[in-house]
């Protein structure tokens, strides 16, 4: 039903997987080779290498590598990719471009593991042990070790340096989405030749990124499970999982997902043999299975220069880039560590669209090209071809203000001058600016709504997007359709009399109660446009008007059972006022004079997240139909959204 190209489109630019015509820039300027590079345990990883034709003993080039689970097609040394490298700019600058299928995927040997757990100190220590036994760093047949992505990257670099002539001894790595994770995973115990790494939209932790948000299952990802939960029987150039996709008789994803019923039906209906679905069901809490797959705890003693890249409207991986940057910054004093966040959806900085839009919002022209030429190319050229002393003339943080629609630079993120402010959620629907108070007690007043998991609030009004592999447009979509529902609470300020720039971290501090024993809480930060806002010339949907448009700026879900611990869920006590505090991801957005700030609060967001039964059960993946019950939820006075603002 869905080809490989369709499945990876949401994760990486499609041009990386296309076979190009005979007469192309790549074929004219590069020579392609293919190798089976042995790891220390003897497992061979398929690797494609594109070498500039003018490489010689006097003209040496650095390596630029991408490791991926999404295929390095086209296969065969005579078949060339249409483009190599992160951009046409770097392609023309010329590097030795390396693409590798990771273990257990496509033409590589081995067993596939989602988010391979890191083994601390393994690569360098095992390489040293190998050499002491008189063996090369890769392979060392008699050295016992558990492979991880760091060690496989280490061994690959070691092999490349020794076997690909006319290299300058420096290596860079980049990747978007899952390949972004592989880039991050190269940083612990990195090979000394790895000088620069750019994790882009990197996955950091599957319990907070991609497949879950604060423990709530991202049901919109249900269609992706064959890509991640079927082992390939042997190295193959063909997608081995194509017959495992869900066959649906509708294009209405809301109706289809609701028709599945409780998630316990997924295994019997669609994925009886999918190992990743089985793992998901068996680990509903943040237990050791998920914890050891997080790369964040291992980002210490980072030696390569790092530039983490993300999109403010990335529906897949927004947690990943922000927390990757912050973790490296916290744990590695003096490291070269920078952050870039643009007005993009998932990975869209890697391709130029001319007019840069997300959903209905226009951000300017050639924004991706500006990033590629003035930020990305400057970073890699400095560390891989230049002096590499860290004096790149790039800022600590290069961030796009999605309200002013312009790039801003910072020498620290969050900014040193950020001041914390709070928006109080008032029972009359007002959103009032108040003095921040994290210990503000709940008052007697409240706003309430009835939440029915059998009639959940949709996350989008565009049903044409709900059968795709991953969501996209909803991250900046007009929220009027939701605000008009009785099961969505709306709070908004008066019309702003001056610009208000929110820049930094956001925390929802809710005081809630429910008649049920479990509940999800969704908070959305929204920019309400004035009534006289004109449409821009590039509106993708001619039926949408920007007059009074409610642009979602940031949003997040919190599974209420995890309010005190992601490891040990707890039920709510019916009627008892309870604190539910959780972080939304960072923001840089100016609410302009004449606009309003709005907060929406709801408890269903379907089928983006799965339905909470609102009856506490040990494992929601195994809930029965009878467990799904209506409940009345209250948001009590004393609830607030704390934000950082820039003067």
């Amino acid at each position: 039903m869905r080809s490989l190209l369709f499945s990876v489109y949401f994760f990486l630019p499609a041009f990386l997987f296309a076979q190009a015509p005979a007469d192309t820039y790549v074929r004219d300027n590069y020579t392609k080779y293919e190798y089976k590079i042995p790891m220390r345990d003897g497992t061979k990883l398929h690797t494609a290498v594109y070498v500039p034709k003018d490489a010689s003993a006097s003209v040496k080039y650095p390596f630029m590598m991408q490791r991926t689970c999404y295929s390095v097609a086209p296969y065969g040394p005579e078949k060339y990719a249409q483009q190599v490298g992160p951009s046409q700019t770097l392609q023309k600058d010329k590097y030795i471009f390396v693409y590798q299928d990771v273990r257990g995927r496509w033409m590589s040997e081995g067993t596939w593991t989602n988010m391979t757990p890191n083994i601390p100190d393994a690569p360098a220590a095992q390489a040293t042990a190998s050499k002491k036994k008189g063996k090369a760093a890769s392979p060392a047949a008699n050295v016992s070790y558990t492979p991880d992505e760091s060690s496989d990257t280490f061994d690959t670099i070691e092999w490349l340096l020794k076997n690909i002539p006319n290299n300058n001894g420096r290596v860079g790595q980049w990747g978007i989405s899952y390949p972004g994770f592989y880039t991050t995973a190269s940083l612990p115990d990195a090979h000394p030749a790895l000088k620069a790494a750019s994790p882009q939209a990197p996955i950091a932790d599957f319990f907070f990124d991609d497949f879950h948000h604060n423990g709530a299952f991202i049901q919109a990802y249900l269609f992706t499970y064959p890509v991640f939960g079927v082992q390939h029987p042997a190295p193959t150039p063909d997608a081995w999982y194509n017959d495992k996709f869900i066959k649906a008789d509708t294009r209405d994803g809301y109706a289809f997902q609701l028709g599945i019923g409780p998630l316990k039906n997924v295994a019997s209906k669609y994925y009886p043999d999918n190992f990743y679905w089985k793992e998901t069901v068996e680990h509903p809490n943040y237990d050791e299975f998920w914890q050891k797959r997080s790369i964040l705890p291992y980002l210490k003693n980072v030696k390569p220069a790092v530039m983490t890249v993300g999109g403010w409207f990335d529906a897949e991986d927004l947690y990943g880039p922000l927390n990757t940057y912050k973790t490296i910054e916290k744990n590695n004093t003096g490291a070269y560590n920078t952050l870039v966040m643009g007005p993009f959806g998932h990975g869209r900085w890697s391709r130029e669209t001319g007019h840069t839009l997300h959903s209905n919002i226009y951000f300017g022209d050639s924004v991706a090209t500006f990033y590629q030429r003035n930020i990305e190319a400057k970073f890699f050229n400095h560390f891989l071809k230049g002096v590499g002393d860290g004096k790149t003339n790039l800022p600590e943080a290069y961030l796009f203000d999605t309200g002013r629609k312009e790039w801003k630079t910072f020498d620290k993120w969050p900014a040193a001058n950020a001041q914390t402010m709070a928006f109080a959620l008032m029972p009359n629907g007002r959103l009032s600016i108040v003095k921040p108070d994290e210990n503000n007690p709940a008052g007697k007043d409240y706003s309430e709504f009835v939440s029915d998991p059998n009639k959940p609030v949709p996350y989008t009004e565009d049903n044409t997007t709900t059968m795709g592999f991953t969501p996209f447009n909803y991250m900046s979509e007009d929220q009027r359709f939701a605000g008009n529902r009785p099961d969505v609470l709306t709070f908004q300020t008066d019309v702003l009399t001056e610009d208000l720039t929110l820049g930094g971290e956001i925390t929802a501090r809710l005081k809630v109660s429910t008649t049920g024993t479990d509940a999800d809480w969704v908070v959305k930060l929204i920019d309400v446009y004035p009534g006289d806002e004109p449409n821009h010339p590039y509106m993708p949907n001619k039926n949408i008007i920007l007059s009074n448009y409610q642009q979602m700026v940031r949003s997040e879900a919190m599974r209420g059972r995890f309010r005190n611990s992601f490891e040990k869920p707890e039920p709510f006590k019916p009627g008892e006022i309870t604190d539910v505090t959780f972080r939304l991801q960072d923001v840089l957005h100016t609410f302009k004079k004449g606009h309003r700030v709005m907060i929406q609060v709801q408890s269903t967001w379907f089928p983006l997240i799965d339905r909470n039964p609102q009856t506490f059960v040990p494992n929601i993946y195994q809930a029965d139909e009878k467990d799904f019950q209506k409940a009345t939820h209250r948001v009590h006075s004393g609830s607030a959204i704390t934000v950082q603002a820039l003067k």
Side-chain angles (χ1 to χ4, degrees):
M1 182 179 179
R2 291 175 173 84
S3 68
L4 163 68
L5 193 58
F6 184 90
S7 71
V8 300
Y9 176 82
F10 293 94
F11 300 95
L12 283 177
F15 56 66
L16 292 181
F17 301 93
Q19 180 180 343
D23 256 338
T24 67
Y25 182 91
V26 177
R27 187 179 290 272
D28 291 344
N29 290 275
Y30 290 84
T31 302
K32 182 184 178 184
Y33 303 91
E34 291 187 343
Y35 303 98
K36 304 295 183 183
I37 298 181
M39 303 294 101
R40 264 164 280 176
D41 63 349
T43 301
K44 296 181 176 65
L45 304 188
H46 179 88
T47 309
V49 180
Y50 292 81
V51 180
K53 288 187 175 180
D54 62 350
S56 66
S58 59
V59 182
K60 297 186 176 183
Y61 289 101
F63 293 103
M64 275 283 284
M65 179 168 62
Q66 180 181 106
R67 305 184 66 246
T68 180
C69 57
Y70 295 133
S71 166
V72 303
Y75 293 104
E78 74 287 354
K79 296 180 180 179
Y80 281 65
Q82 191 172 351
Q83 179 181 311
V84 290
S87 70
Q88 290 187 0
T89 297
L90 284 169
Q91 174 182 270
K92 291 180 179 179
D93 286 345
K94 291 189 180 178
Y95 288 78
I96 302 173
F97 291 106
V98 178
Y99 293 90
Q100 184 175 80
D101 288 330
V102 298
R103 285 177 181 258
R105 302 294 284 186
W106 300 94
M107 289 296 286
S108 285
E109 300 174 350
T111 302
W112 155 250
T113 302
N114 275 299
M115 298 290 286
T116 313
N118 180 264
I119 310 298
D121 303 319
Q126 289 157 2
T128 300
S130 302
K131 291 175 180 178
K132 285 181 178 179
K133 289 177 178 258
K135 302 190 180 289
S138 58
N142 297 323
V143 177
S144 175
Y145 83 112
T146 302
D148 64 5
E149 302 308 334
S150 180
S151 63
D152 281 355
T153 305
F154 191 104
D155 289 357
T156 299
I157 292 174
E158 188 82 356
W159 190 94
L160 291 170
L161 292 170
K162 294 178 179 179
N163 292 278
I164 305 299
N166 305 319
N167 72 79
N168 74 353
R170 300 184 191 181
V171 181
Q173 188 170 346
W174 94 102
I176 297 173
S177 194
Y178 225 135
F181 160 74
Y182 293 120
T183 304
T184 308
S186 72
L187 298 175
D189 309 303
H191 194 289
L194 183 63
K195 301 299 183 182
S198 181
Q200 302 183 5
I203 308 166
D205 189 321
F206 265 168
F207 206 72
F208 302 96
D209 240 352
D210 278 300
F211 287 93
H212 303 83
H213 280 212
N214 289 321
F217 174 59
I218 303 300
Q219 190 164 337
Y221 276 26
L222 197 61
F223 299 109
T224 72
Y225 269 79
V227 178
F228 304 105
V230 179
Q231 296 286 2
H232 81 348
T236 175
D238 302 312
W240 61 95
Y241 46 72
N242 273 345
D243 62 344
K244 304 295 184 180
F245 287 120
I246 291 173
K247 309 295 191 297
D249 57 2
T250 178
R251 290 178 293 166
D252 183 342
Y254 182 97
F256 174 78
Q257 299 271 24
L258 196 59
I260 291 174
L263 290 175
K264 66 182 299 183
N265 296 331
V266 170
S268 58
K269 287 184 176 181
Y270 304 113
Y271 297 143
D273 303 316
N274 190 292
F275 77 84
Y276 185 49
W277 178 252
K278 184 173 183 288
E279 290 171 343
T280 302
V281 172
E282 290 177 348
H283 300 280
N285 308 324
Y286 194 53
D287 59 12
E288 183 184 10
F289 177 83
W290 298 112
Q291 291 174 21
K292 69 182 183 181
R293 282 166 168 74
S294 174
I295 193 61
L296 298 178
Y298 305 102
L299 298 179
K300 302 173 183 177
N301 196 29
V302 172
K303 300 299 184 183
V306 182
M307 182 181 74
T308 304
V309 180
W312 286 126
F313 302 108
D314 190 336
E316 297 180 34
D317 300 298
L318 184 54
Y319 173 95
L322 291 169
N323 286 279
T324 297
Y325 164 76
K326 289 180 181 180
T327 302
I328 294 174
E329 193 71 8
K330 178 182 177 182
N331 294 340
N332 300 271
T333 303
Y336 186 96
N337 179 46
T338 60
L339 175 67
V340 181
M341 297 293 295
F344 304 110
H346 191 61
R348 296 304 170 94
W349 51 87
S350 67
R351 62 186 99 167
E352 182 54 75
T353 58
H355 308 307
T356 304
L357 292 100
H358 188 274
S359 185
N360 296 296
I361 311 303
Y362 169 60
F363 294 103
D365 290 343
S366 304
V367 181
T369 295
F370 175 88
Y371 155 76
Q372 293 167 12
R373 292 178 178 174
N374 298 291
I375 304 174
E376 183 178 59
K378 186 178 289 188
F379 169 77
F380 279 119
N381 284 335
H382 174 83
F383 287 104
L384 301 182
K385 292 185 173 184
V387 294
D389 59 1
K391 297 177 181 179
T392 61
N393 292 320
L394 290 171
E396 173 79 9
Y398 222 137
L399 311 179
F400 197 91
D401 183 326
T402 54
R404 291 191 187 278
K405 300 178 181 178
E406 60 187 19
W407 288 101
K408 296 290 185 180
T409 61
F410 300 87
D411 56 13
K412 181 181 179 181
W413 187 259
N417 65 338
Q419 299 178 355
T420 301
M421 60 183 295
F423 292 107
L425 309 184
M426 309 300 287
N428 58 5
R430 290 192 47 139
L431 192 64
S432 298
I433 298 176
V434 298
K435 183 178 180 180
D437 186 351
E438 297 182 7
N439 300 308
N440 192 24
K444 62 180 181 179
D445 298 324
Y446 56 83
S447 303
E448 71 175 15
F449 61 98
V450 176
S451 175
D452 184 353
N454 294 308
K455 295 181 180 179
V457 179
Y459 77 91
T460 178
E461 62 179 347
D462 184 359
N463 275 345
T464 65
T465 67
T466 55
M467 290 295 289
F469 264 54
T470 58
F472 185 80
N473 285 335
Y474 87 95
M475 291 285 283
S476 66
E477 193 176 352
D478 187 2
Q479 296 301 302
R480 281 175 282 196
F481 77 95
N484 291 330
R485 285 183 56 124
D487 48 358
V488 177
L489 298 179
T490 298
F491 309 86
Q492 69 175 344
T493 64
D494 294 332
V495 174
L496 298 177
T497 57
E498 59 182 19
D499 289 357
L500 173 63
T501 299
L502 301 186
E505 299 179 346
I506 314 173
T507 303
R509 303 183 185 279
L510 304 182
K511 312 283 184 180
V512 302
S513 63
T514 175
T515 58
T517 52
D518 200 359
D520 292 339
W521 303 94
V522 177
V523 170
K524 299 184 288 190
L525 172 67
I526 296 165
D527 185 344
V528 183
Y529 290 23
D532 61 357
E533 183 78 17
N535 281 6
H536 59 73
Y538 313 112
M539 295 291 293
N541 188 336
K542 302 305 180 183
N543 297 320
I544 296 294
I545 57 173
L546 295 181
S547 171
N548 296 126
Y549 192 90
Q550 296 178 7
Q551 180 199 338
M552 194 163 76
V553 174
R554 193 63 70 244
S555 58
E556 191 55 279
M558 178 68 194
R559 181 130 286 172
R561 61 174 49 213
F562 297 126
R563 64 195 180 278
N564 295 322
S565 169
F566 288 105
E567 295 89 343
K568 298 178 181 179
E570 300 174 34
F572 287 86
K573 293 181 180 179
E576 182 177 292
I577 299 176
T578 305
D579 288 333
V580 176
T581 300
F582 59 98
R583 285 277 310 280
L584 284 71
Q585 304 309 321
D586 295 12
V587 67
L588 178 58
H589 184 89
T590 295
F591 292 77
K592 292 184 176 180
K593 177 182 177 181
H595 290 225
R596 297 174 186 257
V597 181
M598 176 183 285
I599 297 291
Q600 289 182 358
V601 179
Q602 60 201 66
S603 284
T604 52
W605 209 19
F606 190 78
L608 183 66
I609 64 171
D610 64 316
R611 299 175 300 139
N612 190 315
Q614 303 187 152
T615 302
F616 186 86
V617 293
N619 186 340
I620 290 179
Y621 296 101
Q622 297 174 347
D624 294 317
E625 193 76 58
K626 63 180 175 56
D627 296 319
F628 291 79
Q629 299 292 328
K630 292 182 183 179
T632 299
H633 301 325
R634 292 177 174 176
V635 176
H636 294 262
S637 57
S639 297
I641 310 299
T642 60
V643 299
Q644 291 181 301
L646 303 178
K647 297 295 184 182

